């Protein structure tokens, strides 16, 4: 009960939080099937549009820009290969959307959204949630998603993953500029691999804790060496 109360409180607080924040996994590797049971696929008309992640048995955290014009999304849990109809994944409708009331697309600001599922998920080896941090801590991070494998490539049907490092926040601000990057509300990453189109909304993870929500990156080049990928900071 306390978990649900905390999540509902988070939903009520979203309009009052300020987040300055497009996107995408490139040069990654296929994840071990169901090794990241918190990952979900957000779909429109049965097509993948974004990633997201379970933070309880009925709430998903994702990026606000994953939902356009009040469209209806469905959430697929327990998936690895999106083309495999026999792997046991389950589709859920969304009961309510709690998009940040001050979310804007140009520039991308306050890019965060909480989705409440129509039914609670059943916890098992393929489906589980990830915690969100209660205090700041230094961690090695990882990223995962079903997004494009390169800037102009196709979406991946298999869940991919890569390890990245958190960049110094001052360097992030210098690269993106203070109008697009908020030191107090964002973090950015770099590494040999990185996210691409279709990976928005997915978590920046540290073990069993999500520390960020994927928001945007270089609009012209996935895993750009010049413009690091930006996440909404959950710490």
């Amino acid at each position: 009960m306390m978990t649900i109360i905390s999540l509902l409180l988070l939903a009520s607080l979203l309009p009052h939080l300020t987040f300055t924040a497009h996107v995408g996994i490139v040069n990654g590797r296929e994840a071990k099937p169901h090794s990241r049971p918190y990952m979900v696929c957000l779909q429109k008309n049965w097509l993948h549009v974004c990633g997201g992640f379970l933070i309880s048995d009925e709430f998903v955290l994702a990026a606000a820009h994953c939902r356009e014009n009040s469209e209806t999304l469905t959430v697929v849990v327990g998936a690895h290969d999106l083309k495999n109809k026999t792997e046991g994944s389950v589709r859920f409708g969304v009961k309510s959307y709690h998009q940040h009331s001050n979310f804007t697309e140009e520039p991308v600001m306050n890019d965060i959204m909480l989705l409440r599922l129509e039914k609670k998920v059943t916890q098992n080896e393929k489906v589980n949630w990830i915690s969100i941090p209660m205090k700041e801590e230094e961690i090695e991070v990882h990223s995962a998603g079903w997004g494009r494998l390169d800037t102009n490539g196709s979406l991946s049907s298999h869940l991919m993953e890569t390890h990245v490092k958190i960049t110094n926040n001052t360097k992030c601000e210098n690269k993106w500029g203070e109008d697009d990057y908020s030191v107090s509300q964002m973090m950015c990453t770099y590494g040999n691999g990185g996210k691409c189109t279709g990976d928005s909304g997915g978590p920046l993870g540290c073990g069993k804790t999500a520390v960020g929500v994927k928001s945007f990156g270089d609009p012209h080049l996935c895993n750009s060496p010049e413009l690091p990928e930006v996440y909404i900071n959950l710490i």
Side-chain angles (χ1 to χ4, degrees):
M1 178 61 71
M2 289 303 297
T3 299
I4 298 302
I5 292 174
S6 298
L7 291 169
L8 290 173
L9 178 60
L10 173 60
S12 69
L13 289 176
L14 284 180
H16 306 289
L17 303 177
T18 302
F19 295 108
T20 306
H22 298 297
V23 194
I25 295 265
V26 178
N27 295 332
R29 60 182 180 277
E30 183 177 346
K32 179 182 178 181
H34 312 295
S35 60
R36 305 200 184 281
Y38 50 82
M39 287 295 300
V40 308
C41 172
L42 301 186
Q43 297 189 352
K44 176 185 177 182
N45 298 327
W46 297 78
L47 297 176
H48 172 83
V49 293
C50 271
F53 52 103
L54 287 164
I55 58 174
S56 82
D57 58 356
E58 61 179 320
F59 282 92
V60 169
L61 201 58
H65 76 263
C66 292
R67 185 185 186 221
E68 298 180 351
N69 302 318
S70 300
E71 63 193 6
T72 299
L73 301 176
T74 55
V75 175
V76 179
V77 306
H80 172 71
D81 180 356
L82 297 178
K83 293 183 178 179
N84 184 350
K85 306 302 182 182
T86 64
E87 68 174 353
S89 60
V90 182
R91 181 179 303 274
F92 288 83
V94 178
K95 181 178 182 179
S96 58
Y97 303 86
H98 304 274
Q99 191 178 56
H100 197 294
S101 62
N102 293 323
F103 166 65
T104 59
E105 294 185 355
E106 293 295 339
V108 179
M109 304 283 288
N110 306 306
D111 192 14
I112 193 166
M113 174 175 61
L114 193 65
L115 300 85
R116 187 172 190 175
L117 303 179
E118 289 183 338
K119 297 187 298 183
K120 293 183 178 182
V121 302
T122 299
Q123 186 181 32
N124 55 50
E125 61 180 8
K126 296 180 180 179
V127 180
N128 205 342
W129 41 94
I130 189 171
S131 64
I132 51 179
M134 300 305 294
K135 60 181 181 179
E136 186 171 357
E137 52 188 48
E138 292 187 5
I139 35 182
E140 181 183 357
V141 293
H142 51 78
S143 184
W146 289 276
R148 296 185 186 276
L149 299 175
D150 57 60
T151 302
N152 298 310
S154 59
L155 295 171
S156 173
S157 62
H158 295 77
L159 182 64
M160 304 294 288
E161 64 181 8
T162 188
H163 287 276
V164 293
K165 295 181 180 180
I166 296 176
T167 307
N168 177 277
N169 245 352
T170 300
K171 291 182 179 179
C172 293
E173 184 182 36
N174 290 338
K175 286 180 177 292
W176 279 104
E178 60 182 14
D179 290 338
D180 293 320
Y181 190 88
S182 169
V183 171
S184 63
Q185 302 294 347
M186 297 179 176
M187 63 172 68
C188 68
T189 64
Y190 70 96
N192 292 328
K195 286 185 174 288
C196 198
T197 305
D199 290 320
S200 295
L204 183 65
C206 167
K208 296 182 179 180
T209 301
V211 298
V213 180
K214 177 61 182 176
S215 183
F216 67 94
D218 189 325
H220 306 295
L221 180 65
C222 294
N223 198 34
S224 168
E226 300 299 325
L227 292 174
E229 297 167 1
V230 179
Y231 291 76
I232 298 298
N233 191 345
L234 297 177
I235 299 176

